[in-house]
Each structure stands twice: as structure tokens, then as C-alpha cells.
Amino acid sequence: GPQNYPFLAPPRNPEALAEQILDFATNSEKRANVGLENRDRVSKHFLPEMMCEAAIAVISSRLVQAK
């Protein structure tokens, strides 16, 4: 999501990518904070029940379209 945009590097810019990787690799506090935030996000938005319901909705809509 948008909260992770600061970790993106511009396309075809290996120097920027390397800089991002090194910053993340050498900053344990940042890694811990990002890990907790992402774990929280996953636990709220990607529950197995929600993922199954979403998959069923997609499959059902395709079956209706195929009739």
C-alpha cells in the first residue's frame, strides 16, 4: 500500500534500489517497525475467510458471465 511507497526505487535505477536495500538491511528499527505494520495490515485485510470469499465472488461472477 501507499505506506510502503517510500521503499520503492525508480525503474531501471539499480543505484537507488541498492540504496533502499542497504538502508533496510542496516536499520533494524525500521525493519522491526515495518514488519509490525505489515503484520497488522495482513491480519486485518487478508484473513483466510476474506480471501476465500473474494475468490468465490470472482469465480461466481465468471460462471454467471459464461452462461
Side-chain angles (χ1 to χ4, degrees):
Q3 68 277 13
N4 288 317
Y5 290 170
F7 301 113
L8 297 177
R12 293 175 292 284
N13 188 335
E15 292 83 12
L17 178 59
E19 194 173 300
Q20 293 287 45
I21 292 169
L22 288 172
D23 178 49
F24 205 69
T26 58
N27 190 331
S28 60
E29 186 175 342
K30 182 185 280 189
R31 287 193 312 273
N33 289 337
V34 170
L36 288 173
E37 290 171 7
N38 284 331
R39 184 176 292 123
D40 184 52
R41 181 173 175 260
V42 167
S43 71
K44 289 178 182 173
H45 300 285
F46 297 97
L47 296 171
E49 296 84 8
M50 293 169 64
M51 301 302 291
C52 288
E53 289 173 10
I56 289 169
V58 169
I59 292 167
S60 295
S61 71
R62 298 296 184 243
L63 289 173
V64 169
Q65 290 176 356
K67 288 184 180 182

